[in-house]
Amino acid sequence: MVRSRVQGKHAGLTREQVLRAAVRLADRDGVEALSMRKLARELDVEAMTLYHHVRNKQGLEDAIVEYVLAESLRPPPESADWQEVVAAHAADLHRGLTEHPGAVLLFATRTAVTPRTLAILEQSLRVLRDAGFAPRTALHLIYAIAGAVVGQHLAYAGEQAQPAVDAPAIGDDHPVLAAALADGPVTMQSRLDFTLTSLIAGFETLL
Amino acid sequence: MVRSRVQGKHAGLTREQVLRAAVRLADRDGVEALSMRKLARELDVEAMTLYHHVRNKQGLEDAIVEYVLAESLRPPPESADWQEVVAAHAADLHRGLTEHPGAVLLFATRTAVTPRTLAILEQSLRVLRDAGFAPRTALHLIYAIAGAVVGQHLAYAGEQAQPAVDAPAIGDDHPVLAAALADGPVTMQSRLDFTLTSLIAGFETLL
DNA sequence: ACCTGAACACCGTTCAAGT
DNA sequence: ACCTGAACACCGTTCAAGT
């Protein structure tokens, strides 16, 4: 790593570049490997320079969540029924977290409240209310969906580090568990599909 | 912090004591404040001593999850229908995470697979299978419940640091969202209840 | 205005050494 | 066997100083 610029010379570094590099680093090496110093090295800059574009590491992490969420979330499809809107919301989140595994752990503990996400949320809520859900129920519904998607991605992230239960490890003491795993391990996709299908079926009983 | 023991003198430190102190420290100051050095100070011992009871920090965190899960999980109630078994499982997890907020983030990314948790899982799965669910569906069902409980606790933990959306911050641009929050902020308890009720209602449609 | 470099107060972990 | 202390390679962040 060679310093390629003298002090005071502008690096021309923008916040956008910092965030893009941070997301890339987190996706490549994992969030736990994301440090101000390593990110600075990646950008060929001193660590302290980053504090010009970001309040601190917390602020960087908040910004990553906003960045990924902004990239993932789309306005709900026009003239769709509420089931499609809910499924689309889940699919948006799922795609975003799949493309950016480094953001999964950060999504778990923050909500990015920006004008754009608020606007999209309001549009989804309107569809749900027009379908007959009370506003508060509609909000609960969105929370339930988001929690389910993030929850399954987290569980999956954990299983990468520490492999999940599989059939051979079970043995004869646990016949039902063994039967459940006989057709291969349970994947995140199957768990997520099951959870979302169950949730939507449950929501339908509320109408 | 005074050293109260000469080198080589047994501290009489047990793994149980280490884990109890770790859980207490994480609950009191937050997981992010849990460090080997601070934990050692708490136990009036050198940091390196802890490595005699725990492989490394990862191992300590795994052990915390096992410890809290063992304390929380109970065998499913005898002669209960499947809805009660599922609700009891959710309630066990909810109680454990409420009593041990320091473990929430750790629960998100690991599964504690021990003989005891496997046995309890098998019992729950048997009730579900006897109720008519296929073994694989039963397992999906348990995963969905666990994911929902952990997911809502995580979201709640995040809101402690970074307050959630509330009515005054919304304004006239988002009437449905404002209406949803008019009766006060959405709490973790209400979100969790809603999610679990919806999930169970959804499961019923599968039978 | 933008960037640097030293410094401070922390980390997890290895390793040789004490009793 | 159990515990220590120094050491190494890291952290995030403050602060004064450079251009």
Side-chain angles (χ1 to χ4, degrees):
Chain A
M1 183 60 48
V2 186
R3 204 174 352 87
S4 57
R5 197 176 343 92
V6 289
Q7 216 178 2
K9 189 89 170 292
H10 285 207
L13 195 60
T14 64
R15 183 178 156 95
E16 176 77 15
Q17 280 171 50
V18 171
L19 294 185
R20 279 240 297 268
V23 170
R24 222 175 35 125
L25 180 55
D27 287 342
R28 205 213 310 132
D29 300 347
V31 232
E32 64 286 346
L34 174 67
S35 77
M36 298 299 275
R37 291 170 121 115
K38 217 177 288 181
L39 177 58
R41 235 176 288 143
E42 206 89 358
L43 290 162
D44 192 25
V45 116
E46 288 295 315
M48 296 312 103
T49 304
L50 300 176
Y51 286 79
H52 208 265
H53 300 91
V54 131
R55 177 186 295 279
N56 52 23
K57 202 189 176 188
Q58 267 262 42
L60 176 67
E61 292 175 352
D62 292 346
I64 290 175
V65 173
E66 283 182 22
Y67 185 93
V68 171
L69 198 66
E71 189 187 294
S72 312
L73 235 49
R74 300 169 185 174
E78 296 278 344
S79 70
D81 58 30
W82 69 266
Q83 287 95 336
E84 286 171 305
V85 168
V86 167
H89 183 69
D92 285 350
L93 283 176
H94 178 52
R95 185 171 18 81
L97 294 178
T98 302
E99 282 169 10
H100 298 294
V104 171
L105 222 47
L106 304 179
F107 264 68
T109 49
R110 21 208 131 198
T111 341
V113 179
T114 65
R116 184 159 181 277
T117 58
L118 277 183
I120 291 178
L121 176 59
E122 175 72 12
Q123 290 178 58
S124 299
L125 290 177
R126 191 158 49 221
V127 174
L128 290 166
R129 188 212 42 194
D130 291 347
F133 292 102
R136 201 172 179 79
T137 305
L139 184 57
H140 270 129
L141 209 146
I142 296 285
Y143 271 122
I145 292 289
V149 176
V150 174
Q152 295 303 329
H153 272 269
L154 275 168
Y156 176 72
E159 286 160 18
Q160 300 304 91
Q162 169 207 356
V165 219
D166 62 339
I170 300 305
D172 300 340
D173 290 347
H174 308 89
V176 189
L177 183 51
L181 295 170
D183 296 336
V186 169
T187 67
M188 169 173 69
Q189 190 68 56
S190 74
R191 285 194 319 231
L192 185 55
D193 287 346
F194 179 85
T195 304
L196 293 176
T197 304
S198 300
L199 271 177
I200 293 179
F203 298 155
E204 278 167 353
T205 69
L206 298 177
L207 279 179
Chain B
M1 183 58 49
V2 187
R3 204 173 355 86
S4 59
R5 196 177 345 91
V6 288
Q7 216 177 3
K9 190 87 170 294
H10 286 206
L13 195 60
T14 65
R15 184 179 156 93
E16 176 77 15
Q17 280 170 51
V18 171
L19 295 185
R20 279 240 296 269
V23 170
R24 222 176 33 128
L25 181 54
D27 287 342
R28 203 210 313 131
D29 300 348
V31 233
E32 63 286 345
L34 173 67
S35 78
M36 299 300 274
R37 291 171 121 113
K38 217 177 288 179
L39 176 57
R41 235 176 287 142
E42 206 89 358
L43 289 162
D44 193 24
V45 116
E46 288 295 315
M48 297 312 103
T49 302
L50 299 176
Y51 286 79
H52 208 264
H53 299 92
V54 132
R55 179 187 291 281
N56 51 24
K57 202 188 176 189
Q58 268 262 43
L60 175 67
E61 292 175 350
D62 292 345
I64 289 175
V65 173
E66 284 183 19
Y67 185 93
V68 171
L69 199 66
E71 189 186 293
S72 313
L73 236 49
R74 300 170 187 174
E78 296 278 343
S79 70
D81 59 30
W82 69 267
Q83 288 95 335
E84 285 171 308
V85 168
V86 167
H89 183 69
D92 285 350
L93 283 177
H94 178 51
R95 184 171 19 81
L97 294 178
T98 303
E99 283 170 11
H100 298 293
V104 171
L105 222 48
L106 304 178
F107 264 68
T109 49
R110 23 210 129 197
T111 341
V113 178
T114 65
R116 184 159 182 277
T117 59
L118 277 182
I120 291 178
L121 177 59
E122 176 71 13
Q123 290 178 56
S124 299
L125 291 177
R126 191 159 46 221
V127 174
L128 289 166
R129 189 211 41 195
D130 291 347
F133 291 104
R136 202 173 179 78
T137 305
L139 185 57
H140 270 130
L141 209 146
I142 296 285
Y143 271 121
I145 293 288
V149 176
V150 174
Q152 294 304 329
H153 272 269
L154 276 168
Y156 176 72
E159 285 161 18
Q160 301 303 91
Q162 169 206 358
V165 220
D166 62 339
I170 300 305
D172 300 339
D173 290 347
H174 308 90
V176 189
L177 183 51
L181 295 170
D183 295 337
V186 169
T187 67
M188 169 172 70
Q189 190 67 55
S190 74
R191 287 196 315 234
L192 185 55
D193 288 345
F194 179 84
T195 305
L196 292 176
T197 303
S198 300
L199 271 177
I200 292 180
F203 297 154
E204 278 167 354
T205 69
L206 298 177
L207 279 179

